Amino acid sequence: MNENQTEAVLAELRDRTSDMLAAVQLLTPLVRHSGSRAEKGYLAAVNKSLYQLVRLLRHADLCDLEEVSHREEPIDLAGLCRDLGRHCEDMAKVLEVSFDWSLGESSVISLADDQLLEMALFNILTNAFQAAGQGGEVRMKAGLTEGTWRVTVEDSGPGLTLRGEEADPLLKQPGGVGLGLEAARRILSLHGGSLMLDNGKEGGVRAVMTLPVKKPTREELLHTPVTPWDAWGGFSPAKVEFSPLLPIEVFGAEDME
C-alpha cells in the first residue's frame, strides 16, 4: 500500500468512526433510561469497539505516514508523569494489577509535545499491564539523570524470548497489530529521545524511555501556547489507551463521557 492509499484508508476509517460516535451519542441516553439489560450490554460492546478504533487511528497516524507534525511548548515532564501515574492507578484497580510509581523531581520544565509524549507513555504502560495480567505487578520510576528525563517501566510478566540477534521482539508479539510501541518509539525519536526494551533482572520486561531536557528561553516561557490537537477525540485518554484491556462492563451507558 502506497502513501496515498494509506491516507485514503485512514480518512475512511476516521469518517466511519465519526459516524459510529454520532450513533452512540444518540443511543446512549435512550438506553441509559429505558434500555433492557441486553440492550445495555450491546451498547457497552459497541462503546468498547469505538474506543479501540480511536486508539488504533491515533497509532496508525503516527506509524504509517511519513511526516508526523509535533509542536514544542514548555511542559512539566514531572507533572505529565504524575498525572499519568494517577490515571494508571485507576486503571490498575479495574484490572486488578498492583501498580507502584515514583518521581525523582517535583517539576522539570522542557520543550516538547505533551500529548504525543502522553501517548508514548500510555503505550509503554498498557503493554506492561497486559504482560503483567491480573494479579501481576507494574512499576514506573521517573527522574532526571545528567540532563536527561528517564522513565523506567517494569512488569512481572513472562519477559522477552530473544532469538539470536532478533531486534525488538516485543513489537512482534501476538495479540495486537504491533503499532503501540512503534508509535512510542517514533514519538520519542521526534523529540531526540529513545526507547529500549530488555528483560528485567527479576523477570518481566523492562522498558526505558529517555528524553533530552530542552530548557525553554524566557520568550518561550511567556509565549501563549498553541491549542493542542485532541489525540483522543474528546474521550478519556486513559480509557482510550487501556480500552483493549478493560472489561466491557466499564463501557456501559452510565459510564460514558
Side-chain angles (χ1 to χ4, degrees):
M1 186 181 296
N2 61 39
E3 183 180 347
N4 289 336
Q5 290 173 319
T6 298
E7 291 184 10
V9 169
L10 289 175
E12 183 69 17
L13 280 173
R14 280 190 283 271
D15 288 343
R16 299 291 73 78
T17 301
S18 296
D19 292 343
M20 192 174 175
L21 173 59
V24 165
Q25 288 176 331
L26 291 172
L27 287 172
T28 296
L30 298 175
V31 174
R32 180 183 292 149
H33 296 298
S34 59
S36 66
R37 182 174 180 180
E39 288 170 336
K40 290 180 178 179
Y42 298 147
L43 181 60
V46 172
N47 282 330
K48 180 178 170 77
S49 294
L50 177 58
Y51 272 66
Q52 289 181 271
L53 269 175
V54 172
R55 182 177 187 267
L56 178 61
L57 279 170
R58 298 290 71 78
H59 294 177
D61 282 338
L62 289 167
C63 291
D64 287 339
L65 300 181
E66 288 189 1
E67 296 295 332
V68 176
S69 61
H70 73 291
R71 58 194 178 88
E72 288 198 338
E73 300 283 353
I75 69 166
D76 186 350
L77 295 175
L80 178 69
C81 289
R82 185 180 300 111
D83 290 342
L84 198 74
R86 290 168 179 167
H87 285 312
C88 288
E89 283 180 343
D90 295 334
M91 297 296 105
K93 293 174 183 176
V94 176
L95 297 171
E96 299 183 30
V97 173
S98 173
F99 177 61
D100 294 313
W101 59 284
S102 63
L103 295 176
E105 285 75 25
S106 60
S107 179
V108 176
I109 306 300
S110 181
L111 291 173
D113 188 311
D114 56 346
Q115 286 199 356
L116 285 180
L117 287 183
E118 190 174 20
M119 286 182 68
L121 284 164
F122 265 130
N123 289 337
I124 296 166
L125 282 158
T126 52
N127 274 277
F129 272 80
Q130 183 176 28
Q134 186 177 14
E137 299 178 7
V138 174
R139 298 172 297 279
M140 180 180 77
K141 182 178 181 181
L144 272 177
T145 303
E146 297 180 353
T148 297
W149 185 247
R150 181 184 178 100
V151 181
T152 301
V153 176
E154 297 177 288
D155 64 65
S156 62
L160 302 173
T161 301
L162 301 174
R163 297 182 179 88
E165 297 300 318
E166 180 181 9
D168 302 331
L170 193 58
L171 300 179
K172 304 181 179 70
Q173 293 298 308
V177 294
L179 295 181
L181 288 174
E182 181 59 35
R185 176 159 290 166
R186 184 160 193 189
I187 289 169
L188 292 169
S189 178
L190 285 171
H191 288 82
S194 64
L195 173 62
M196 300 294 293
L197 305 168
D198 60 16
N199 285 309
K201 294 180 180 179
E202 299 179 2
V205 173
R206 180 174 179 264
V208 180
M209 183 198 91
T210 57
L211 188 72
V213 175
K214 302 177 182 178
K215 294 184 178 180
T217 64
R218 175 181 170 80
E219 289 74 18
E220 288 168 327
L221 285 171
L222 296 175
H223 172 68
T224 301
V226 177
T227 302
W229 59 288
D230 188 347
W232 297 277
F235 297 144
S236 160
K239 205 166 184 179
V240 168
E241 293 301 330
F242 277 86
S243 58
L245 309 182
L246 294 172
I248 287 179
E249 288 75 17
V250 303
F251 295 92
E254 296 80 6
D255 303 305
M256 301 307 292
E257 295 103 340

